[in-house]
Amino acid sequence: MSAGYFPKRDKVGLEDLFKGLVTACHILHHNGIVDAYGHISVRSPDNAATFWMPSNMPPALVSSPDDLVEYDVDGAEPVEKNNTKPGYLERHIHSEMYKRYPAINCVVHSHAGDVLPYCVSGVPLKNTIHMAGFLGTNVPVWDAAGHYPSSSKHDLLVRDSTLGTSLAAALKPATSTGFIYSKVRSALPSQLGGSSSEPKMEPDHAVVLLQGHGFTTVAHGIEEAVYQAIYTKEAAKAQTTALTIQNAHTGYALEGKVDVGAGGKIKSGHAKVEGGGLKYLSDRESHDAWESISGTLTKPWALWCREVEVNPLYKNDCPGGGD
């Protein structure tokens, strides 16, 4: 948990939360994680049974508390019953993550173009850079096919709790071991399970890809979630570039027998790759890299805040000033 926009549990903390959530929307847009689509939410600091997210609008244009809506975790319906602000159709992504994982406080959903190829190609997204140690060595892919409720539209959108529940389960809850669990739980405040003898459920993965759709990342605070979203994109870019240049550089040697009389077809054999394979981070390297980086999240957060603060596109009218 980063020491930013979640731990405070008073009125001032809620104001800080609004300011941080609006800022996060701007940062995610500025870094190409969201465009007119995509969204971020955060669990309420004073009520774990609710969460806040913008109304259905482009993230770059979110600017004040009036643009935010509080939802119940159970059902994803507005807490304010006479609410007239339109909500994101896919808010069930967020509600079901919060419902299944009590220690998770922030969720980002994105359709970033650099990540999409790994949602459709069958090529696994695997970590190649130390800045994305949170990815671990295996990023799960969830496919909506087979999970649609009867009479539901088969449009890949997580438009109900049935699909949201299935997606949340793809992060594989860990109760005693697991990548995120083992490295982050010790830093959690006691009300979130840090000192409890019975651990709260946490996911075993920080990121899940959605087949033909995009990705979702979950975290313990806003800064952490934004960081993970940005570096999921950067890791995908690095892997794609590495695979491209490896393909261009690598040679192949034919091993096996060639039947010349049958038109030169290979009877038995295979193509042997020459030039080495792509090297991914090991489980230990991912573990230790994230442990080192996770304590420095205030540094990129400060930079990203300043970048959106001086950009006239973004406005943050939440109490306390600009971004």
Side-chain angles (χ1 to χ4, degrees), residues 1 6-10 43-49 101-105 185-202 220:
M1 164 93 57
F6 186 83
K8 295 180 181 179
R9 293 181 171 269
D10 52 28
R43 195 189 292 269
S44 302
D46 55 356
N47 182 3
Y101 305 110
I104 290 303
N105 299 314
R185 180 177 178 269
S186 61
L188 297 179
S190 58
Q191 67 267 25
L192 295 178
S195 61
S196 172
S197 58
E198 288 296 324
K200 299 282 186 171
M201 295 282 275
E202 294 212 30
H220 299 89

Side-chain angles (χ1 to χ4, degrees), residues 229-308:
I230 291 173
Y231 278 98
T232 294
K233 175 186 173 182
E234 292 302 312
K237 285 170 60 178
Q239 183 175 344
T240 299
T241 302
L243 288 170
T244 301
I245 61 175
Q246 182 195 46
N247 249 2
H249 172 73
T250 300
Y252 295 88
L254 187 61
E255 291 186 340
K257 296 180 180 179
V258 178
D259 183 359
V260 178
K265 295 181 180 178
I266 300 176
K267 266 189 172 180
S268 62
H270 63 277
K272 178 183 179 182
V273 178
E274 294 182 335
L278 201 60
K279 188 178 187 307
Y280 298 99
L281 270 66
S282 67
D283 185 67
R284 174 67 181 274
E285 288 170 332
S286 294
H287 237 237
D288 292 354
W290 178 233
E291 186 178 50
S292 297
I293 292 294
S294 61
T296 69
L297 300 187
T298 55
K299 182 164 73 170
W301 179 259
L303 171 63
W304 296 330
C305 285
R306 181 58 177 161
E307 287 175 341
V308 297

Side-chain angles (χ1 to χ4, degrees), residues 9-21:
R9 293 181 171 269
D10 52 28
K11 184 177 179 181
V12 176
L14 193 59
E15 291 180 352
D16 287 345
L17 189 84
F18 292 162
K19 179 181 175 183
L21 183 54

